[in-house]
Amino acid sequence: MTFPLKICDHYPLVEKNTLGLPSTARYYAEVNSVAELQSALTFAREKRLPVIPLGGGSNVVLGDFLNALVVHVNLKGRAVLSRDQDSVRVRAEAGENWHEFVLWSLENGAYGLENLSLIPGTVGAAPIQNIGAYGVELKDSFVSLEAMNLESGLVEYFDRQSCGFGYRDSVFKREKRDQYIIISVTLDLDATLKPNLGYGQLGDLVSRRFGDQAPSAIDISQAVCDIRREKLPDPSVVGNAGSFFKNPEVSQAEMDRLKQAYPDIVAYPVGQNWKLAAGWLIDQAGLKGMREGAVGTYQYQALVLINHGGATGQHVLSFSNMIQQKVNDKFGVLLEREPRLYMEALKLV
């Protein structure tokens, strides 16, 4: 069969992941349309190879060799679908850069994503992770998405309920993992700005800058960007995948135990449970700024693992295992990684 898109053999991925890890894909294709994506899936089925979708490469740890078809999803397009006095419905294709989409939405009078500014990656990856920051999550404005079934090549529709969103979680990380590639996302945003400044650090910064004056959406977005740049290294300068661990959730009884042993522990209530600050746990375990070979924790934010140069996926995995072990030994709390691990041929971790 002849395939209308270019499929590369033994393609280097070092510049396709923000950790800057050396990795080679058995096959690689950039898809710019739904038809090209269907063609790529047909190719993978004929080769009997798994398909690994890749967007901005900001939330993955790649092994040395991926015996798979790596598909770079480059579908582009943004549109305002409808508008009334309360809400603005917008749609974006999966390959759109997330931060650029946020800025576009604000420029078009669609508000609610300003707290999610500067989150790396693409629109298509956002629902998988249910991205969130500074008191806002994607699910807050989510309406639906379209995704291609990897087995059938058909496009299917998912509403909010069928996505099963949780904290940095969705069905695409659980029961429907490795079964779909997202191709578009539709959101309902606010027609008027409703600032969400309840997150302490963001609220404090906006208050210092604007006092009694009401900040604009762009003002809030810029404040979020400034906080993120202060805490997180630029991946174009220092290889990293952003926050590497989720903030763990514990029961009230577990929180009582931890509070008694560590009165200064950083946590906040979530329903009947408590969410712990993973960065604080790592810092208190003495791991902030620590380095083993080419991998280390960022000196200004212990939650971030960085590639000092020359690290491999296995190095990152081993270093993150060490962090999990030391935090668990000290606090009795197991940290869960955020990035997806693609470590071995035909084995998607």
Side-chain angles (χ1 to χ4, degrees):
M1 179 177 180
T2 301
F3 295 90
L5 78 162
K6 182 179 180 181
I7 297 179
C8 302
D9 194 352
H10 285 80
Y11 188 86
L13 300 173
V14 65
E15 295 184 358
K16 299 294 184 180
N17 71 100
T18 60
L19 266 165
L21 303 174
S23 179
T24 299
R26 178 64 182 89
Y27 293 104
Y28 172 89
E30 179 181 293
V31 298
N32 300 287
S33 68
V34 170
E36 287 187 353
L37 178 54
Q38 289 172 325
S39 183
L41 298 185
T42 300
F43 175 87
R45 284 194 294 272
E46 291 196 356
K47 293 290 185 180
R48 297 186 178 181
L49 288 174
V51 175
I52 297 177
L54 196 63
S58 60
N59 200 45
V60 294
V61 178
L62 304 182
D64 295 343
F65 180 74
L66 305 180
N67 190 27
L69 171 64
V70 174
V71 175
H72 176 55
V73 181
N74 197 41
L75 282 67
K76 296 296 180 68
R78 303 174 297 210
V80 174
L81 301 181
S82 64
R83 183 189 299 267
D84 60 31
Q85 63 179 5
D86 296 318
S87 64
V88 183
R89 179 161 292 189
V90 299
R91 169 189 164 115
E93 305 304 305
E96 289 287 342
N97 175 275
W98 174 260
H99 179 60
E100 292 177 5
F101 170 61
V102 171
L103 296 181
W104 172 87
S105 70
L106 301 183
E107 292 167 358
N108 282 272
Y111 308 108
L113 301 180
E114 50 275 359
N115 289 34
L116 304 182
S117 297
L118 210 62
I119 292 179
T122 59
V123 167
I128 297 173
Q129 184 81 352
N130 182 27
I131 59 172
Y134 308 109
V136 174
E137 291 185 321
L138 178 76
K139 69 177 179 63
D140 300 334
S141 57
F142 182 86
V143 175
S144 64
L145 63 80
E146 291 178 311
M148 185 172 292
N149 187 305
L150 298 186
E151 185 174 346
S152 68
L154 299 177
V155 176
E156 299 180 21
Y157 172 92
F158 292 81
D159 60 14
R160 183 185 305 185
Q161 183 175 357
S162 58
C163 285
F165 291 123
Y167 171 62
R168 304 297 177 270
D169 195 25
S170 72
V171 293
F172 302 104
K173 295 181 72 173
R174 301 190 310 270
E175 55 266 35
K176 297 192 181 300
R177 177 161 152 156
D178 300 323
Q179 297 178 35
Y180 292 88
I181 290 181
I182 294 172
I183 59 178
S184 73
V185 176
T186 299
L187 306 176
D188 268 348
L189 302 176
D190 296 323
T192 56
L193 177 62
K194 300 173 183 177
N196 185 334
L197 303 176
Y199 184 89
Q201 191 175 7
L202 177 59
D204 291 345
L205 179 56
V206 171
S207 179
R208 290 198 306 271
R209 287 184 174 177
F210 301 100
D212 296 332
Q213 294 183 336
S216 69
I218 293 297
D219 292 333
I220 296 171
S221 172
Q222 186 59 57
V224 169
C225 290
D226 291 342
I227 293 172
R228 290 186 67 88
R229 289 190 178 105
E230 183 178 319
K231 294 170 60 176
L232 303 173
D234 182 346
S236 67
V237 179
V238 179
N240 74 92
S243 298
F244 203 87
F245 297 99
K246 296 181 181 181
N247 290 325
E249 189 170 314
V250 298
S251 66
Q252 181 65 59
E254 187 70 0
M255 184 62 198
D256 291 341
R257 177 189 69 81
L258 289 166
K259 189 73 173 176
Q260 184 174 6
Y262 306 98
D264 297 330
I265 192 168
V266 178
Y268 56 94
V270 179
Q272 296 182 337
N273 294 331
W274 289 82
K275 192 84 73 176
L276 307 179
W280 186 90
L281 298 174
I282 297 169
D283 189 0
Q284 295 301 305
L287 303 174
K288 187 176 182 179
M290 180 182 179
R291 175 175 178 174
E292 282 190 356
V295 187
T297 49
Y298 189 46
Q299 60 181 328
Y300 302 116
Q301 172 53 270
L303 198 54
V304 177
L305 303 194
I306 61 176
N307 178 2
H308 288 283
T312 67
Q314 189 58 53
H315 292 151
V316 174
L317 178 59
S318 297
F319 189 79
S320 66
N321 287 341
M322 178 273 294
I323 290 176
Q324 289 176 311
Q325 185 63 54
K326 288 188 178 297
V327 168
N328 195 35
D329 289 345
K330 183 175 179 64
F331 297 101
V333 174
L334 182 61
L335 297 180
E336 183 180 348
R337 300 181 191 89
E338 281 201 31
R340 180 67 190 275
L341 307 181
Y342 294 107
M343 298 304 298
E344 298 177 21
L346 300 178
K347 183 179 180 183
L348 309 184
V349 182

